[in-house]
Amino acid sequence: MDRNLALEVVRVTEAAALESARLMGRGDAAADAAAALAMRQAFEAINADAVIVIGEGAEGDLHAGQHVGGGSETVAIDVALDALEGATVCATGGANALSLILIGERGRILACPETYMEKLAVGPAGRGVVDLDRSPTDNLKALAEAKGVYVEDLTAVILDRPRHSRLIDEARRAGARVQLLADGDLAAAIATARPDSGIDIVLGIGGAQQGVLAAGALECLGGEFQGRFKPMTSDEVTSLTEAGIEDQARRYRASDLIGDKMMFAATGVTNGHLLRGVQFQRGGATTNSVVMRSQSRTVRWIEAYHHFDFKPEY
Ligand code: VTB
């Protein structure tokens, strides 16, 4: 996979973040639609034959199966994307809205439908020491030991949902500090790999597609992601079966979800655990992004100033 691609795709997440941040706090889906449109247009400047494996809904722009990318080159890649993760958050001006893209080798990203996934995400210190097949208490103890701290020193992030009441109780009983999130477990999952994020582990059930994206980012960062599908309705069970995912009780590791060669780029839309949101200033705006590649484990934090008078036309 062409290493330069990593620096090209960040333009795509920047474009989506700039357009959606403009519409932050409007209380509707306008930011989501703007992010998808900007992302699709910016993709045309990428020299690749990219097939969307995980996209924005079944139809419309950026749907699964759509070919994106331009130019004459035929670098065959697969793409998983979320033009605006945290659309509800963005609509209310909350934290952790992001625009992101994961690029993998052709045929290696699991084409997972929109359903739920039980997730376990930790940074590098927890790689190889936690296990979704063990209890949250055991995982917290193992992570504390690997980090050389007490369980009481760990912060576990869990989405604030009724489905997590037992999990939250257990994490509290184990002694961990529990941070409940209104939305946006994806940014938090990736932030477990940032020593200064204050997040040690993300547990609980959230979007499955966002689980695949988190797996890719954590693989580049040397962390660990494990997931298990948790379909909530019979339709979701059917959609998993139709996607060829027969063993729905299986524990997936990052490599099962996205292969082993990937690139990941994300740009903050609103301030969050991982990235700062778009800041508008006179004549332009500043974006904060991260770009990473699994093969080299290089992680680049990119602050970009966009001058609107000289904005590229996509
Ligand atoms: C949300 C959102 C997450 O999953 O929780 C969603 O905040 C699914 O949960 O960031 P609900 O249907 O209960 O809201 C995510 O989008 C991704 O995991």
Coordinates of all heavy atoms in Angstrom, one line a residue, residues 233-269:
T233 N -31.8 -7.2 17.2 CA -33.1 -7.5 16.6 C -32.9 -8.7 15.6 O -31.7 -9.0 15.2 CB -33.7 -6.4 15.8 OG1 -32.8 -6.1 14.7 CG2 -33.9 -5.1 16.6
S234 N -34.0 -9.4 15.2 CA -33.8 -10.5 14.3 C -33.4 -10.0 12.9 O -32.6 -10.6 12.2 CB -35.1 -11.3 14.2 OG -36.2 -10.4 13.8
D235 N -33.7 -8.7 12.6 CA -33.2 -8.1 11.3 C -31.7 -8.0 11.4 O -31.1 -8.2 10.3 CB -33.8 -6.7 11.1 CG -35.3 -6.8 10.6 OD1 -35.7 -8.0 10.3 OD2 -35.9 -5.8 10.5
E236 N -31.2 -7.6 12.5 CA -29.7 -7.5 12.6 C -29.0 -8.8 12.5 O -28.0 -8.9 11.9 CB -29.4 -6.7 13.9 CG -29.7 -5.3 13.9 CD -29.3 -4.5 15.1 OE1 -28.5 -5.0 15.9 OE2 -29.9 -3.5 15.4
V237 N -29.7 -9.8 13.1 CA -29.1 -11.2 12.9 C -29.1 -11.6 11.5 O -28.1 -12.1 11.0 CB -30.0 -12.2 13.8 CG1 -29.5 -13.6 13.5 CG2 -29.9 -11.9 15.2
T238 N -30.2 -11.3 10.8 CA -30.3 -11.6 9.4 C -29.2 -10.9 8.6 O -28.6 -11.4 7.7 CB -31.7 -11.3 8.8 OG1 -32.6 -11.9 9.7 CG2 -31.9 -11.8 7.4
S239 N -29.1 -9.6 8.9 CA -28.1 -8.8 8.1 C -26.7 -9.3 8.3 O -25.9 -9.3 7.4 CB -28.2 -7.3 8.4 OG -27.8 -7.1 9.7
L240 N -26.4 -9.8 9.5 CA -25.1 -10.4 9.7 C -24.9 -11.7 8.9 O -23.9 -11.9 8.3 CB -24.9 -10.7 11.2 CG -24.5 -9.5 12.1 CD1 -24.6 -9.9 13.6 CD2 -23.0 -9.2 11.8
T241 N -26.0 -12.5 8.9 CA -25.9 -13.8 8.2 C -25.7 -13.5 6.7 O -24.9 -14.1 6.0 CB -27.2 -14.6 8.4 OG1 -27.4 -14.6 9.8 CG2 -27.1 -16.0 7.8
E242 N -26.5 -12.5 6.2 CA -26.4 -12.1 4.8 C -25.0 -11.6 4.4 O -24.5 -11.7 3.3 CB -27.4 -11.1 4.4 CG -28.8 -11.7 4.2 CD -29.9 -10.7 4.1 OE1 -29.7 -9.4 4.1 OE2 -31.1 -11.1 4.1
A243 N -24.3 -11.0 5.4 CA -23.0 -10.5 5.2 C -21.9 -11.6 5.3 O -20.7 -11.4 5.2 CB -22.6 -9.4 6.2
G244 N -22.4 -12.8 5.5 CA -21.5 -14.0 5.5 C -20.9 -14.2 6.9 O -20.0 -15.0 7.1
I245 N -21.5 -13.5 7.9 CA -20.9 -13.7 9.3 C -21.8 -14.7 10.0 O -22.9 -14.4 10.6 CB -20.9 -12.3 10.0 CG1 -20.0 -11.4 9.2 CG2 -20.4 -12.5 11.4 CD1 -20.2 -9.9 9.6
E246 N -21.4 -16.0 10.0 CA -22.2 -17.1 10.5 C -22.0 -17.2 12.0 O -23.0 -17.4 12.7 CB -21.8 -18.4 9.8 CG -22.1 -18.4 8.2 CD -23.5 -18.4 7.9 OE1 -24.4 -18.6 8.7 OE2 -23.8 -18.1 6.7
D247 N -20.7 -17.2 12.4 CA -20.4 -17.5 13.8 C -20.5 -16.2 14.6 O -19.5 -15.5 14.7 CB -19.0 -18.1 13.9 CG -18.7 -18.4 15.4 OD1 -19.6 -18.2 16.3 OD2 -17.6 -18.9 15.6
Q248 N -21.7 -15.9 15.0 CA -21.9 -14.5 15.6 C -21.5 -14.5 17.1 O -21.5 -13.4 17.7 CB -23.4 -14.1 15.4 CG -23.7 -14.0 13.9 CD -25.1 -13.6 13.6 OE1 -25.9 -13.2 14.4 NE2 -25.4 -13.5 12.3
A249 N -21.1 -15.6 17.6 CA -20.6 -15.6 19.0 C -19.1 -15.5 19.1 O -18.5 -15.4 20.2 CB -21.1 -16.9 19.7
R250 N -18.5 -15.4 17.9 CA -17.1 -15.4 17.8 C -16.4 -14.1 18.4 O -17.0 -13.0 18.3 CB -16.7 -15.5 16.4 CG -15.2 -15.4 16.1 CD -14.9 -15.6 14.7 NE -13.6 -15.2 14.4 CZ -13.0 -15.1 13.2 NH1 -13.8 -15.4 12.1 NH2 -11.8 -14.8 13.0
R251 N -15.3 -14.3 19.1 CA -14.5 -13.1 19.5 C -13.6 -12.7 18.4 O -12.8 -13.5 18.0 CB -13.7 -13.5 20.8 CG -12.9 -12.3 21.3 CD -11.9 -12.8 22.3 NE -11.0 -13.8 21.6 CZ -9.9 -14.3 22.2 NH1 -9.6 -13.9 23.4 NH2 -9.2 -15.2 21.6
Y252 N -13.8 -11.5 17.9 CA -12.9 -11.0 16.8 C -11.8 -10.2 17.4 O -12.0 -9.3 18.2 CB -13.7 -10.1 15.9 CG -14.6 -10.8 14.9 CD1 -15.9 -11.2 15.4 CD2 -14.2 -11.2 13.6 CE1 -16.8 -11.9 14.5 CE2 -15.1 -11.9 12.8 CZ -16.3 -12.2 13.2 OH -17.2 -12.9 12.4
R253 N -10.6 -10.4 16.8 CA -9.4 -9.6 17.1 C -9.3 -8.6 15.9 O -9.9 -8.8 14.9 CB -8.2 -10.4 17.2 CG -8.2 -11.3 18.4 CD -6.9 -12.1 18.5 NE -6.8 -12.9 19.7 CZ -6.5 -12.5 20.9 NH1 -6.1 -11.2 21.0 NH2 -6.5 -13.3 21.9
A254 N -8.5 -7.6 16.1 CA -8.3 -6.6 15.1 C -7.9 -7.2 13.8 O -8.5 -6.8 12.7 CB -7.3 -5.5 15.5
S255 N -7.0 -8.1 13.8 CA -6.6 -8.7 12.5 C -7.7 -9.5 11.8 O -7.7 -9.5 10.5 CB -5.3 -9.6 12.7 OG -5.7 -10.6 13.7
D256 N -8.7 -10.0 12.5 CA -9.8 -10.7 11.9 C -10.7 -9.7 11.2 O -11.4 -10.0 10.3 CB -10.7 -11.4 12.9 CG -9.9 -12.4 13.8 OD1 -8.9 -13.0 13.2 OD2 -10.1 -12.4 15.0
L257 N -10.7 -8.4 11.7 CA -11.6 -7.4 11.3 C -11.1 -6.6 10.1 O -11.8 -6.1 9.2 CB -12.0 -6.5 12.4 CG -12.8 -7.1 13.6 CD1 -12.8 -6.1 14.7 CD2 -14.2 -7.5 13.2
I258 N -9.7 -6.4 10.1 CA -9.2 -5.5 9.1 C -7.9 -6.0 8.4 O -7.2 -5.2 7.8 CB -9.0 -4.1 9.7 CG1 -8.7 -4.2 11.2 CG2 -10.2 -3.2 9.6 CD1 -7.5 -3.8 11.7
G259 N -7.5 -7.2 8.7 CA -6.2 -7.7 8.1 C -5.0 -7.1 8.9 O -5.2 -6.7 10.0
D260 N -3.9 -7.0 8.2 CA -2.7 -6.5 9.0 C -2.0 -5.3 8.4 O -1.1 -4.8 9.0 CB -1.8 -7.6 9.4 CG -1.5 -8.6 8.3 OD1 -1.5 -8.1 7.1 OD2 -1.3 -9.8 8.6
K261 N -2.5 -4.9 7.2 CA -1.9 -3.7 6.7 C -2.9 -2.6 6.5 O -3.9 -2.9 5.8 CB -1.3 -4.0 5.3 CG 0.0 -4.7 5.4 CD 0.7 -4.7 4.0 CE 1.9 -5.7 4.0 NZ 1.9 -6.6 2.9
M262 N -2.8 -1.5 7.2 CA -3.8 -0.5 7.1 C -3.3 0.9 7.4 O -2.2 1.1 7.9 CB -4.9 -0.8 8.1 CG -4.5 -0.6 9.5 SD -5.2 -1.8 10.7 CE -4.3 -3.3 10.2
M263 N -4.1 1.8 7.0 CA -3.8 3.2 7.3 C -5.1 3.8 7.9 O -6.2 3.4 7.6 CB -3.5 4.0 6.1 CG -2.3 3.6 5.4 SD -2.2 4.6 3.9 CE -1.2 3.5 2.9
F264 N -5.0 4.8 8.8 CA -6.1 5.3 9.5 C -5.9 6.8 9.6 O -4.8 7.3 9.9 CB -6.2 4.7 10.9 CG -7.3 5.3 11.7 CD1 -8.6 4.7 11.7 CD2 -7.1 6.4 12.5 CE1 -9.6 5.2 12.5 CE2 -8.2 7.0 13.2 CZ -9.4 6.3 13.2
A265 N -7.0 7.6 9.3 CA -6.9 9.0 9.5 C -8.2 9.5 10.1 O -9.3 9.0 9.8 CB -6.8 9.7 8.1
A266 N -8.1 10.5 11.0 CA -9.3 11.1 11.7 C -9.0 12.5 11.9 O -7.9 13.0 12.1 CB -9.5 10.4 13.0
T267 N -10.1 13.3 11.8 CA -10.0 14.7 12.1 C -11.2 15.1 13.1 O -12.3 14.6 12.9 CB -10.3 15.6 10.8 OG1 -9.3 15.2 9.8 CG2 -10.2 17.1 11.1
G268 N -10.8 15.8 14.1 CA -11.8 16.2 15.1 C -12.8 17.2 14.5 O -12.5 18.1 13.8
V269 N -14.1 16.9 14.8 CA -15.2 17.9 14.5 C -15.5 18.8 15.7 O -15.5 20.0 15.6 CB -16.4 17.1 14.0 CG1 -17.5 18.1 13.6 CG2 -16.0 16.3 12.7

